[in-house]
Amino acid sequence: MTRLRPLIANSTRCIRHLSDYKIPANSVVSEEEVRRATQYCTNLLQQYDHPSYILSAFLPPSLRPAHLAIRAFNLELVRIPDASPSPQVRSMRYQFWRETITSAFALRPAAQPVAILLASILASHQHHHHPSPSQPPATLSKSRFLRLISAREKHSTNAPYPTLASLEQYAENTYSTLLYLTLSALPLHSVTADHVASHIGKASGIAAVLRGVPLLAFPPPPNHHSNDAGLGPQQQRRQQQGAVTLPLDVMAECGVREEDVLRQGAQAPGLRDAVFKVATRASDHLITARGMVRSIREGRDVEHGFEHEGEEGHVYSDNTEGGEYDVGREGEGEGKVDKGGHKQREEVERAFGVFMPAVATSLWLKRLEGVDFDIFNEGLRRRDWRLPWKAWWAFRRRMF
């Protein structure tokens, strides 16, 4: 416990000094602007995404500004449906963020804290990093930011997911994409790291949807300071009604009806079975990611390929970061396999701090199991005081 205290203290301080990194002399934003933007983004994480705030302590200091900007950007998107129930206003705000990302990548950021911090990071990447076979530059993909906006907008109406597979696709386009962006800022462009991150992101995204079930089924009173005064009474009533976002195929299989959930809450027939089935899929992704990391550390081949390899953002050369990547192919010599296996271990070691959301997701899923999959249990919405300790132990062992 004595060793843990400095880490816990560091986890509450590490983001506060992110603006200490050097701003290029020709940057379009000042150090004071970056300082204020950093504080704004830090406050967002502390209030709305405390696990990410805590887990930033396990990232390399050079990566923390990008991690903060990426996570704060995600929170800005997450808050849009609550702040603007009107479909027209929501559409305008998502479009604002598309334009904001485009201007930030052009190093002409809007007067918005996330955009300012992001532009300063992009300018820093351009100023400090130079391509080389052994150390490619840190890069952030504009298309991934735009994909995240589109995924958030598509699901902003809280419509149920048609299938469990469609829920997985949502998690891939949101939470996995957050991890891909963070890895690219490390920088690390690796099929191994992306493959592990894909499974962790899917687990985290599925768990996030489960956490949101009670809040969406029984939404709080509307924000009277929103811009929806022009809505008619019928539209307002419809917006105040609850929604059940569990996959429809799982609900049908378990005999769950939306009206029963909205009337009976936790007592709805079949609800715990449905939650168990969805949570099991999240747990399966964590088990897969954990098994991959263990296999790579032990020098064994991963038993399945990366399903997204070849898609946009997931095209890898055989000489990624200066070494042979593909290992264990039929007909290859032992020396090449050893070289590739060593490279995979190095990549997992470098990326492990980015994988740490797996710890928070695993902890929450275990708490859900501990209350017999009662998704309405109040304890599931409290912060887990064990996270710093569990994260420290996982990071030390390099196993989540």
Side-chain angles (χ1 to χ4, degrees), residues 362-375:
S362 179
L363 276 175
W364 188 84
L365 289 172
K366 288 178 181 176
R367 291 167 66 193
L368 178 63
E369 181 181 10
V371 297
D372 194 23
F373 301 95
D374 176 10
I375 199 64

Side-chain angles (χ1 to χ4, degrees), residues 4-16 18 45 50-64 67-68 352-354 356-357 387-388 391-392 395 398:
L4 180 60
R5 283 176 184 143
L7 178 70
I8 297 176
N10 184 51
S11 69
T12 63
R13 292 195 308 263
C14 63
I15 298 182
R16 294 177 186 174
L18 290 178
L45 260 66
H50 199 256
S52 291
Y53 178 76
I54 292 293
L55 296 174
S56 63
F58 301 95
L59 297 172
S62 61
L63 181 58
R64 290 171 189 165
H67 172 264
L68 178 62
F352 199 83
V354 182
M356 291 298 284
L387 178 59
W392 174 80
F395 190 76
R398 293 298 194 271

Side-chain angles (χ1 to χ4, degrees), residues 31-350:
E31 290 191 9
E32 177 60 22
E33 287 177 311
V34 172
R35 187 194 66 78
R36 292 197 300 265
T38 299
Q39 187 58 55
Y40 172 87
C41 294
T42 300
N43 292 340
L44 274 185
L45 260 66
Q46 284 181 306
Q47 185 173 0
Y48 298 107
D49 189 4
H50 199 256
S52 291
Y53 178 76
I54 292 293
L55 296 174
S56 63
F58 301 95
L59 297 172
S62 61
L63 181 58
R64 290 171 189 165
H67 172 264
L68 178 62
I70 291 164
R71 291 289 171 166
F73 168 72
N74 178 59
L75 289 174
E76 293 283 13
L77 299 181
V78 168
R79 297 194 306 157
I80 288 177
D82 291 335
S84 49
S86 163
Q88 293 80 7
V89 175
R90 281 202 305 268
S91 179
M92 292 172 60
R93 294 193 177 185
Y94 288 118
Q95 183 58 32
F96 163 80
W97 278 107
R98 290 187 178 93
E99 296 172 359
T100 297
I101 289 297
T102 299
S103 64
F105 270 82
L107 302 185
R108 297 191 301 271
Q112 204 285 338
V114 175
I116 290 171
L117 182 57
L118 179 59
S120 74
I121 293 163
L122 293 167
S124 181
H125 288 173
Q126 291 184 11
H127 182 77
H128 291 295
H129 295 285
H130 306 282
S132 70
S134 61
Q135 181 62 43
T139 58
L140 287 173
S141 167
K142 182 171 76 170
S143 65
R144 280 179 170 157
F145 280 97
L146 297 178
R147 181 186 307 166
L148 189 57
I149 296 172
S150 297
R152 289 294 186 190
E153 182 175 24
K154 179 180 178 181
H155 296 280
S156 63
T157 60
N158 298 326
Y161 299 89
T163 64
L164 187 52
S166 65
L167 171 55
E168 286 180 303
Q169 187 60 49
Y170 160 78
E172 168 70 21
N173 291 336
T174 51
Y175 288 84
S176 296
T177 296
L178 293 173
L179 297 180
Y180 300 148
L181 282 167
T182 309
L183 286 170
S184 66
L186 188 54
L188 182 60
H189 185 63
S190 155
V191 64
T192 301
D194 283 1
H195 194 175
V196 175
S198 176
H199 286 293
I200 293 173
K202 285 174 181 173
S204 299
I206 293 171
V209 169
L210 286 174
R211 281 198 303 271
V213 167
L215 296 176
L216 294 177
F218 299 99
N223 179 7
H224 295 291
H225 298 286
S226 66
N227 298 320
D228 299 309
L231 294 178
Q234 184 175 359
Q235 288 175 298
Q236 291 179 349
R237 282 195 300 270
R238 185 163 56 249
Q239 290 176 358
Q240 295 172 28
Q241 292 174 351
V244 179
T245 53
L246 293 171
L248 293 178
D249 60 343
V250 174
M251 292 176 65
E253 180 181 340
C254 298
V256 181
R257 300 191 307 169
E258 182 180 55
E259 54 267 35
D260 289 341
V261 176
L262 299 180
R263 289 172 183 162
Q264 303 177 45
Q267 306 307 316
L271 178 60
R272 294 194 187 203
D273 292 337
V275 171
F276 167 77
K277 188 173 183 65
V278 176
T280 297
R281 183 63 61 91
S283 181
D284 287 345
H285 281 294
L286 285 182
I287 291 171
T288 300
R290 192 178 297 125
M292 289 180 62
V293 171
R294 182 179 292 111
S295 294
I296 290 168
R297 292 186 68 191
E298 294 174 356
R300 295 182 284 112
D301 288 339
V302 175
E303 295 180 354
H304 65 289
F306 183 28
E307 62 177 315
H308 302 291
E309 185 173 1
E311 298 177 3
E312 181 183 1
H314 297 298
V315 178
Y316 311 93
S317 68
D318 286 340
N319 194 38
T320 302
E321 297 201 19
E324 294 291 338
Y325 173 77
D326 294 317
V327 299
R329 287 178 176 173
E330 185 176 354
E332 291 185 340
E334 288 297 322
K336 191 170 185 180
V337 172
D338 289 341
K339 181 180 180 181
H342 177 69
K343 181 155 189 61
Q344 284 185 311
R345 289 192 292 274
E346 287 182 341
E347 290 170 344
V348 168
E349 175 67 21
R350 287 187 61 204

